[in-house]
Amino acid sequence: MPHTHEVTNQVPPHTGRDITAHPALFEALHREGAGWAEDEVRALGALGNSATVQEWGRLVNEHPPVLHTHDRYGFRVDEVEYLPQYHELMRTAVEHGLHGAPWADDRPGAHVARAAKVMAWGVSDAGHLCPISMTYAVVPALRTTPELSAQYEPLLTNRVYDFGLRAPLTKAGLIAGMSMTEKQGGSDVRANTTRAVPQSDGSYRLIGHKWFTSAPMSDLFLTLAQTESGLSCFLVPRILPDGTRNAFFLQRLKDKLGNKSNASSEVEYEEATGWLVGEEGRGVRTIIEMVNMTRLDCALMAAGGMRIGLANAIHHATYRRAFGARLLDQPAMINVLADLAVDSEAATTVVLRLAGAVDRSLHGDRSEAAFRRVALAVTKYWLCKRLASHTVEALECLGGNGYIEDSGMPRLYREAPLISIWEGSGNVAALDTLRAMVKEPETIEAFFAELELAAGTDPRYDDALAMLRKEFSDPEDLQYRARHVVERMAMLLQGSLLLRHGDPAVSDAFNASRLARDWGVAYGTLPRGLDTATILERAKVGE
Ligand SMILES: Cc1cc2nc3c(=O)[nH]c(=O)nc-3n(C[C@H](O)[C@H](O)[C@H](O)COP(=O)(O)OP(=O)(O)OC[C@H]3O[C@@H](n4cnc5c(N)ncnc54)[C@H](O)[C@@H]3O)c2cc1C
């Protein structure tokens, strides 16, 4: 073979480093009461980016799960086959308590610790975090029905991954899913047509279909169906207590843009057995307990995704040279990376603040519960929306290499729009914020009380806060203006947290661009005079 060229100017791999570690993550972890978890968070981030686990992540996305509807004789089996590496990802996540474990942990900060661990471990693969998140989220909904939660909660919180279709109460650990969306609508679940008919033994028979049900090999599903009293929530196991299959038939798996490692199915319920969760006719109220928690996870995954994209971009710019200098030293690239870093740091700060609010509200803090109600909808809307453009820009920092699968960026890119669709797509999340404010006025008071804590520290922040108050004083066309108003709320919440707790360089850049609006539409449009060196220094991964 003739020697045609040497490989130069390619960046070294950074597998093996904890690329999710960022000062903002650990500062927030301590501030929100879970400093005790720092070692485990660091270990999980390093494990997630180890060569072995990165290979698991690659394999499970390149070889998605396969549905087997029938066996060789024509009998239905309704099983999904996953690679062994998928089970390893699930096992690791469960053993580290990323599923229901915090509900069995009374330590203050347990939910904050779990949130940081989800962000750190997310570098491995996003798909398996879907059932992990649903297993976390199902617990508060089940608690509306103490006899069910007494049976199932210990298994949903147990740190044992016990895969396979067996009667739930015979297993050492359980995984849960949710089955709400039908063909005719996902946002407006009241349009569901699946019916549930009461039986003499207290159970119900469910007849209908679901257009989306992810992780269909899970043990239990919270399922919405109509009764004579209206939309109600049911616990539907895959396997009945006597060990026989429930009438839960998998029609096909979705061929998705991304999120390949996670199976998402269409299901027919042909007189499937279920048990009522919460009050009959109050199904939305019951399942919203679950949705609130999965929304927190969407926001966590958005912040985690931003961090991974940014770490890859900075790593590349540190080693790649063009026109005689490192990319990292070139002013236009400095602006792009610093702009991305500001959003990443703001996102990390706000999601851990929300995890802290979840934790404190569970320990009885009512004002934190009110704050969480609005702040979660606002943050879910904004971070999930922002992730897609953040990821595109981070990918472009790697040039053509970023468009190639080996770089990992295409996987991140395909994943990015999904969390904005889940658990209340953009408009729905924005409108939900407004609904909460009208139905529970104490929530918006708690939100503004949080914003007031930073008042008087920076005139740019004060002006933005005054403008937001003006938006609220005008009730005209509020639905039409929903995204505009909620975006401003999200910015002010992040600005408030950065002013009080953030690094001054990051906070200054945030105020100048996001609040005083000396900023463009694309990333890389920060104004002059900012301390970008400090911002980038914080964002580096020990290069
Ligand atoms: C990969 C994947 C996995 C999924 N897994 C599950 C699962 O496990 N379980 C489950 O139940 N569902 C699941 N879903 C479904 C998901 O929750 C729904 O797709 C989502 O809730 C949106 O519902 P829809 O698709 O019916 O869109 P629609 O409800 O038809 O909404 C379409 C658009 O209209 C907007 N819109 C809706 N109402 C309004 C309004 N009043 N004003 C203005 N705009 C509005 C929405 O924001 C959205 O942009 C999954 C989806 C995907 C893609």
Side-chain angles (χ1 to χ4, degrees):
M1 281 278 284
H3 186 72
T4 55
H5 66 279
E6 286 173 24
V7 178
T8 60
N9 202 24
Q10 291 283 354
V11 307
H14 65 163
T15 309
R17 286 195 181 140
D18 178 8
I19 65 168
T20 61
H22 186 285
L25 179 68
F26 297 108
E27 288 157 12
L29 189 72
H30 283 266
R31 193 166 56 244
E32 301 296 338
W36 47 266
E38 179 172 342
D39 289 347
E40 192 182 358
V41 174
R42 286 188 187 277
L44 209 46
L47 181 64
N49 200 37
S50 65
T52 305
V53 174
Q54 285 296 302
E55 183 62 2
W56 294 352
R58 184 187 71 77
L59 285 169
V60 297
N61 283 281
E62 289 189 6
H63 305 281
V66 177
L67 170 64
H68 300 287
T69 52
H70 296 81
D71 70 8
R72 59 186 286 201
Y73 305 105
F75 294 107
R76 288 212 71 122
V77 290
D78 298 283
E79 296 212 22
V80 178
E81 186 183 359
Y82 297 88
L83 287 191
Q85 289 82 358
Y86 174 85
H87 295 304
E88 286 302 302
L89 288 162
M90 289 290 288
R91 183 186 56 72
T92 311
V94 168
E95 285 178 3
H96 282 275
L98 272 54
H99 66 323
W103 302 103
D105 185 345
D106 285 338
R107 275 179 295 180
H111 292 264
V112 180
R114 183 237 170 220
K117 286 191 280 184
V118 167
M119 287 177 67
W121 177 245
V123 70
S124 60
D125 161 65
H128 78 287
L129 289 180
C130 169
I132 291 295
S133 170
M134 292 193 287
T135 306
Y136 171 62
V138 75
V139 173
L142 265 190
R143 284 183 177 177
T144 59
T145 310
E147 54 279 22
L148 289 179
S149 96
Q151 286 182 299
Y152 294 106
E153 191 174 320
L155 299 173
L156 292 161
T157 58
N158 199 17
R159 293 181 183 221
V160 176
Y161 176 59
D162 189 359
F163 180 76
L165 293 181
R166 303 197 305 282
L169 295 179
T170 67
K171 297 181 76 174
L174 299 178
I175 297 294
M178 65 163 102
S179 198
M180 303 186 293
T181 307
E182 299 189 357
K183 292 189 182 75
Q184 68 280 3
S187 308
D188 184 7
V189 288
R190 289 185 193 280
N192 275 192
T193 59
T194 298
R195 286 175 295 122
V197 182
Q199 306 296 303
S200 54
D201 64 358
S203 69
Y204 287 73
R205 295 281 180 280
L206 276 70
I207 304 129
H209 75 280
K210 295 291 169 182
W211 186 230
F212 280 99
T213 296
S214 288
M217 289 298 282
S218 300
D219 299 291
L220 312 167
F221 294 85
L222 286 198
T223 304
L224 290 180
Q226 304 281 0
T227 68
E228 285 188 352
S229 307
L231 196 63
S232 308
C233 182
F234 296 90
L235 180 85
V236 178
R238 280 294 314 265
I239 302 293
L240 294 168
D242 65 5
T244 59
R245 295 281 174 103
N246 206 350
F248 177 107
F249 299 111
L250 301 178
Q251 302 304 98
R252 60 175 170 169
L253 298 186
K254 300 289 193 185
D255 182 7
K256 298 181 284 186
L257 168 68
N259 198 249
K260 297 282 187 185
S261 61
N262 179 31
S264 299
S265 66
E266 296 167 18
V267 184
E268 292 284 337
Y269 292 83
E270 294 182 14
E271 299 205 329
T273 302
W275 286 270
L276 184 67
V277 184
E279 267 181 75
E280 195 173 318
R282 309 295 297 270
V284 173
R285 169 174 276 218
T286 305
I287 211 158
I288 205 76
E289 296 290 334
M290 182 169 186
V291 171
N292 273 334
M293 290 298 158
T294 46
R295 278 185 183 170
L296 173 67
D297 280 10
C298 288
L300 291 173
M301 289 178 210
M306 284 186 195
R307 174 62 201 151
I308 298 165
L310 174 69
N312 283 328
I314 291 194
H315 177 71
H316 188 86
T318 304
Y319 293 96
R320 183 79 166 182
R321 298 174 71 83
F323 302 101
R326 287 194 314 167
L327 290 174
L328 191 62
D329 297 327
Q330 309 217 23
M333 184 58 94
I334 288 172
N335 198 327
V336 172
L337 292 171
D339 214 356
L340 292 171
V342 168
D343 265 358
S344 168
E345 191 156 339
T348 298
T349 306
V350 73
V351 292
L352 286 198
R353 169 70 184 89
L354 282 167
V358 167
D359 211 273
R360 286 183 284 277
S361 53
L362 290 169
H363 286 92
D365 187 330
R366 292 168 65 109
S367 66
E368 283 290 272
F371 166 73
R372 183 197 73 155
R373 173 68 185 91
V374 161
L376 189 52
V378 163
T379 302
K380 194 283 175 186
Y381 167 74
W382 178 241
L383 295 191
C384 296
K385 191 117 313 275
R386 198 68 181 142
L387 175 66
S389 40
H390 194 278
T391 306
V392 171
E393 203 62 62
L395 182 154
E396 192 176 317
C397 291
L398 277 71
N401 287 340
Y403 200 69
I404 304 304
E405 290 289 342
D406 289 352
S407 71
M409 296 305 286
R411 211 166 98 204
L412 214 54
Y413 173 76
R414 286 191 294 268
E415 203 67 39
L418 180 56
I419 47 179
S420 191
I421 294 169
W422 272 345
E423 316 308 338
S425 312
N427 289 347
V428 173
L431 292 170
D432 183 51
T433 306
L434 304 181
R435 191 175 311 113
M437 288 164 12
V438 173
K439 283 181 79 174
E440 301 163 72
E442 70 279 10
T443 61
I444 192 68
E445 284 162 24
F447 186 83
F448 271 102
E450 177 85 9
L451 300 190
E452 281 299 335
L453 294 175
T457 47
D458 189 310
R460 297 168 297 187
Y461 176 85
D462 293 346
D463 288 349
L465 184 54
M467 276 172 62
L468 181 65
R469 286 197 181 282
K470 216 165 134 202
E471 295 269 10
F472 279 108
S473 64
D474 173 11
E476 194 80 5
D477 295 330
L478 205 49
Q479 282 205 21
Y480 179 77
R481 294 186 286 126
R483 282 188 181 217
H484 179 78
V485 172
V486 172
E487 183 175 316
R488 297 316 292 164
M489 292 171 79
M491 297 282 190
L492 274 149
L493 177 58
Q494 295 183 351
S496 157
L497 291 166
L498 289 175
L499 272 171
R500 285 180 286 142
H501 311 297
D503 181 89
V506 177
S507 175
D508 183 37
F510 191 94
N511 267 289
S513 53
R514 278 78 171 157
L515 297 184
R517 301 204 194 196
D518 188 357
W519 197 35
V521 175
Y523 279 106
T525 51
L526 290 173
R528 288 193 287 188
L530 301 174
D531 183 0
T532 52
T534 300
I535 296 169
L536 292 181
E537 197 52 44
R538 279 173 71 77
K540 279 185 189 168
V541 191
E543 307 288 355

